[in-house]
Amino acid sequence: MTMRFRYAVTTSLCLVGLVTMASADDAVMAPLQFNPFVKKQAEALRKNDTAPESKDQWEHRRAALKAKLAAAWGGFPEQPCPLEPRILGEFSREGYRVEKLVFQTRPGVWMTANTYIPDKQGKLPAILNVHGHWSGAKQDPVVQSRCIAAVKQGYFVLCVDAFGAGERGLGKKLGEYHGEMVAATLFPIGLPLSGLQVYENMRAVDYLLTRPEVDPQRIGITGASGGGNQTMYAGAFDERFRCVVPTCSVGNYQAYLSAACCMCEVVPGALKFTEEGDVLGLAAHRGVMVTSATRDAFQFSVGEARKSFARLESIAALYKDASVKHTIIESEHNYNRPMREAMLGWMNKHLKGEGDGSPVTEPEIKTEEPEQLRCFPGESRPDDYVTIPRFAAAESRRLLALRATPKSSGDWSTVRQHSVTSLEDVLGGMPDPTPLQRKSERTPDGKSETITFEPEPGLSLALQRNVVADPARLAILLDLDGGTEAIEKGNLAPQLKAAGWMVATVDLRATGRNAVKGDKIGNAPDHNSAEWSLWIGRPLLGQWAWDVQRTLDALQEQDGKLPKEVAVIGYRSAGTVALCAAALDERITRVVTINSLASYITEQPYSGQRLGLMAPGIVRDVGDIAHLAALVAPRPVTIAGGVRGNAAPVSQAGLREAFQFTDHVYSLLVTEPTSPFKIIAPDDVLDALR
């Protein structure tokens, strides 16, 4: 539906809308609405799922599913870079030896790893062991134990550190977490951590194939927790894995919408095209065993895993020799001895042709001190080692360098049209407008009014405004962090009111008074709501931009028209929301950002920002913050201060450099001596609006 037609629909709705009194219960219930809303969206997306009825039908679906997964992960390099493996040390133990090595997965990106090699001759079956969320990564005793158990069974074992974990963290010490605002730096470039891990694990197989000890026809993969997710995805995508054993990780995507999970487990938009059972089914013909623990978290629970395993079984039934199994072990979230013994029995059946897949008895295991396994002991890792944010920053710069600079207003018109379409896609698309279910209530003195409305069915928002007779100017003030309460305590709102503006404030979904309980994880204040939104393919940035548009609809419906001048003013993270909303809605005549993000590019984890701003692919497909601001041209845009991704303030000179592209576009479109694009100090906002 086009934007113009959306507004026509909205206007028609106002003709039948009835103004009723706002209920205090609406504001009370708002924080409880977002999670059920997301779950209902997910349920609607997958309501028509059915098991394939034939092998041919499945093979067709299988090819399409792999293509959609690859797209969600941002695709893989057309040509792999040289591995350039280097063995940095080794030591021997009874019956096996351990190597410490690194190899290159992408240019300049090095994976740290250990090999466990049995004292045996001939071609060996191999297991790729991916660690999961154990703090020591490949060095952790829980992870070591599976490697030692497998090497004592005669397997060549490769154990790797995932990007951002183990020896690949921001710093040189072990124990860092690669989720929340570290992994968030990858979303703007459209390469989520889940996809990077799949590709890196495929490169690990490339490395295994260089080893003369390894039989290329007998390679398996296993891992638990986040490593179990890696196992499922890499096993599904890479046909070279002949046995796939995800442990304490299988549930279903809709179960994730009741939990807080790591960013490395998120496949953006996955619920728009699949559920976890079909992903497991991609490896159904290659020996899949799902292991579940009876006392695991809900998203990995036996009951939720059974839903996906049932689909896996139905797919496996289409293949003559397919072999799948669901092993349930009395345990908490772990990869303990019974789980290891079950895994090895299954691997023996599928990689050695031994046994019936039943558990085998594990020999005595003695793990190493973590430091003994490190490729870069102590502080010896190179200072220029590529971390997740450094990789994301370099890729952002590469992508932005590819963007052509328009040479004329005609060039820009073409670029803008394409960019706005891309922005809508990146934001997950905008829904069709539905009746606002508007209610309103004025204070006894008639000076203030609260309007509640539904931006979408199942969600309610409340805007507050001062009542102005036939106002000429409207300012919508947004603050995702402090909400309307912070705005009300500030100086700008009363100053604007005194200057004759009608001022509206609104807490957007999952923010302010509508914030989701327990939403904050680490440095991400909106971790869970943002994560759930990514699963359904609707980044919060897009939902917030829609809420702004629906706020305009509510005011237009209430008054019959909007003022001639409509300014959207965003504090901090809300500045990016304001720019996106204005790019998509020309009813907004002016945008002001106050101490907002100046650039998505950062070589450090985001701090003081919202995870919801990190719409997958926004830098790749649309551009940086400066490109978003340019989409508003020639309407006035004011940048009042700004911050870097790590929350450090940006100087006026730094802002001018960051917004060079915006300034250039305005120079193409505006002939007046004074440009409507301005960079000012935050204290000068009121003067800029006069």
Side-chain angles (χ1 to χ4, degrees):
M1 181 180 288
T2 66
M3 208 113 11
R4 181 175 295 178
F5 184 56
R6 281 196 187 115
Y7 301 149
V9 171
T10 303
T11 302
S12 69
L13 291 173
C14 82
L15 298 178
V16 296
L18 296 176
V19 180
T20 57
M21 298 299 285
S23 168
D25 292 338
D26 294 327
V28 173
M29 293 299 293
L32 307 178
Q33 293 175 346
F34 188 72
N35 186 249
F37 167 77
V38 172
K39 289 181 176 179
K40 189 173 181 179
Q41 294 253 314
E43 183 181 1
L45 289 170
R46 308 289 3 122
K47 67 179 180 180
N48 295 322
D49 276 358
T50 58
E53 297 178 356
S54 67
K55 184 178 177 181
D56 286 345
Q57 185 187 69
W58 169 243
E59 290 294 338
H60 178 76
R61 185 190 297 182
R62 188 173 184 274
L65 176 53
K66 290 188 73 172
K68 289 178 179 178
L69 281 170
W73 288 325
F76 301 137
E78 293 183 7
Q79 292 293 330
C81 69
L83 289 166
E84 299 182 10
R86 302 197 309 271
I87 295 176
L88 304 179
E90 63 177 86
F91 59 90
S92 295
R93 294 292 181 260
E94 184 178 354
Y96 65 96
R97 75 181 193 277
V98 179
E99 295 173 338
K100 312 171 199 180
L101 70 145
V102 294
F103 54 87
Q104 191 174 225
T105 59
R106 291 173 180 259
V109 179
W110 296 90
M111 186 174 234
T112 48
N114 296 127
T115 58
Y116 294 72
I117 308 167
D119 296 339
K120 294 180 67 175
Q121 299 298 314
K123 292 287 188 179
L124 302 172
I127 297 175
L128 175 60
N129 196 333
V130 287
H131 53 74
H133 293 113
W134 277 267
S135 62
K138 68 178 176 61
Q139 291 79 205
D140 198 279
V142 172
V143 181
Q144 288 187 52
S145 296
R146 341 173 190 149
C147 299
I148 297 169
V151 74
K152 289 192 171 186
Q153 282 281 319
Y155 290 94
F156 184 107
V157 180
L158 176 62
C159 189
V160 298
D161 277 333
F163 208 176
E167 298 191 74
R168 305 178 69 193
L170 302 171
K172 300 180 181 183
K173 295 181 180 180
L174 298 178
E176 281 191 13
Y177 176 53
H178 61 189
E180 36 114 352
M181 299 310 266
V182 177
T185 60
L186 296 165
F187 285 126
I189 61 173
L191 294 174
L193 187 52
S194 57
L196 285 177
Q197 289 179 337
V198 169
Y199 184 69
E200 288 208 317
N201 289 327
M202 292 167 68
R203 297 311 317 274
V205 178
D206 292 343
Y207 173 73
L208 283 171
L209 297 184
T210 70
R211 296 295 299 239
E213 305 96 331
V214 171
D215 183 343
Q217 301 303 315
R218 296 190 292 160
I219 300 175
I221 183 171
T222 191
S225 189
N229 275 270
Q230 291 185 57
T231 296
M232 176 180 70
Y233 289 123
F237 216 83
D238 195 327
E239 302 283 336
R240 296 173 294 181
F241 289 115
R242 307 310 303 171
C243 188
V244 180
V245 184
T247 298
C248 287
S249 62
V250 172
N252 59 80
Y253 293 152
Q254 291 181 68
Y256 278 121
L257 305 182
S258 297
C261 297
C262 181
M263 287 296 115
C264 76
E265 297 169 326
V266 176
V267 181
L271 275 164
K272 294 179 79 170
F273 59 85
T274 195
E275 249 292 1
E276 196 165 324
D278 275 7
V279 176
L280 281 168
L282 292 175
H285 57 300
R286 290 183 279 115
V288 179
M289 183 176 78
V290 173
T291 301
S292 300
T294 56
R295 300 193 301 278
D296 212 332
F298 172 74
Q299 68 271 27
F300 303 142
S301 64
V302 172
E304 297 306 303
R306 279 178 173 148
K307 296 175 184 177
S308 292
F309 187 78
R311 176 57 62 85
L312 171 63
E313 274 192 312
S314 68
I315 294 168
L318 303 175
Y319 292 88
K320 182 178 179 181
D321 299 320
S323 177
V324 298
K325 183 178 182 180
H326 190 187
T327 295
I328 301 170
I329 292 176
E330 179 66 29
S331 173
E332 296 177 344
H333 190 77
N334 208 327
Y335 206 139
N336 53 27
R337 179 171 179 170
M339 295 170 180
R340 296 193 297 267
E341 292 179 336
M343 177 270 292
L344 288 169
W346 191 252
M347 292 281 186
N348 286 350
K349 175 183 177 181
H350 291 277
L351 300 183
K352 292 184 177 181
E354 298 176 0
D356 62 359
S358 299
V360 298
T361 301
E362 179 182 273
E364 181 181 355
I365 288 174
K366 183 178 180 181
T367 59
E368 308 289 338
E369 288 296 320
E371 196 70 14
Q372 174 70 15
L373 293 168
R374 294 188 65 174
C375 301
F376 303 109
E379 300 291 311
S380 64
R381 193 184 76 179
D383 290 338
D384 61 353
Y385 195 82
V386 176
T387 62
I388 285 177
R390 284 177 175 174
F391 170 78
E395 181 65 9
S396 292
R397 294 186 185 105
R398 185 189 72 83
L399 291 167
L400 293 174
L402 296 175
R403 302 191 73 84
T405 301
K407 294 183 171 67
S408 67
S409 59
D411 284 350
W412 173 242
S413 178
T414 302
V415 170
R416 185 186 186 280
Q417 184 177 6
H418 175 76
S419 294
V420 169
T421 300
S422 296
L423 179 59
E424 280 203 341
D425 290 342
V426 162
L427 297 181
M430 297 297 157
D432 291 336
T434 52
L436 290 166
Q437 307 297 340
R438 176 175 47 87
K439 303 175 184 178
S440 65
E441 181 177 12
R442 291 192 178 184
T443 55
D445 61 10
K447 294 181 178 180
S448 300
E449 183 175 38
T450 298
I451 302 173
T452 61
F453 61 97
E454 293 187 359
E456 298 180 58
L459 291 175
S460 64
L461 302 180
L463 70 87
Q464 288 82 40
R465 66 166 177 175
N466 59 315
V467 178
V468 179
D470 196 20
R473 296 184 293 180
L474 162 67
I476 298 176
L477 274 57
L478 305 174
D479 188 332
L480 305 182
D481 303 318
T484 57
E485 293 180 0
I487 294 170
E488 290 162 1
K489 293 177 182 177
N491 295 323
L492 185 58
Q495 289 175 337
L496 287 172
K497 292 175 183 177
W501 287 73
M502 180 169 70
V503 176
T505 59
V506 58
D507 287 336
L508 307 181
R509 67 185 73 186
T511 73
R513 296 185 179 100
N514 303 326
V516 174
K517 184 178 180 181
D519 212 9
K520 186 179 187 299
I521 302 291
N523 289 317
D526 55 342
H527 182 279
N528 297 343
S529 56
E531 180 180 77
W532 302 334
S533 298
L534 290 172
W535 278 113
I536 63 171
R538 294 189 62 192
L540 271 177
L541 180 57
Q543 296 186 60
W544 289 330
W546 179 244
D547 285 348
V548 174
Q549 293 185 61
R550 295 300 271 163
T551 298
L552 292 175
D553 292 342
L555 289 167
Q556 184 172 327
E557 184 176 298
Q558 181 75 8
D559 297 341
K561 64 177 182 178
L562 288 173
K564 183 177 180 180
E565 184 171 0
V566 176
V568 177
I569 302 171
Y571 294 84
R572 295 177 290 275
S573 293
T576 309
V577 179
L579 292 172
C580 288
L584 299 176
D585 193 330
E586 294 189 358
R587 294 177 297 176
I588 298 170
T589 63
R590 177 190 293 267
V591 173
V592 180
T593 70
I594 302 176
N595 290 324
S596 298
L597 186 65
S599 173
Y600 277 113
I601 302 174
T602 176
E603 292 193 354
Q604 300 174 21
Y606 290 117
S607 178
Q609 298 299 327
R610 288 264 167 170
L611 181 59
L613 298 186
M614 312 307 157
I618 194 165
V619 167
R620 179 194 64 201
D621 298 339
V622 183
D624 205 354
I625 302 297
H627 297 79
L628 295 176
L631 295 178
V632 185
R635 291 166 285 163
V637 168
T638 301
I639 307 297
V643 297
R644 304 187 193 281
N646 65 352
V650 182
S651 67
Q652 294 285 295
L655 287 172
R656 283 191 290 272
E657 181 179 357
F659 286 90
Q660 282 181 344
F661 183 87
T662 315
D663 192 52
H664 172 71
V665 169
Y666 273 84
S667 72
L668 297 177
L669 302 178
V670 180
T671 58
E672 288 82 359
T674 303
S675 172
F677 173 67
K678 292 181 172 61
I679 294 174
I680 64 172
D683 291 341
D684 295 335
V685 169
L686 186 63
D687 290 338
L689 289 171
R690 292 189 191 278

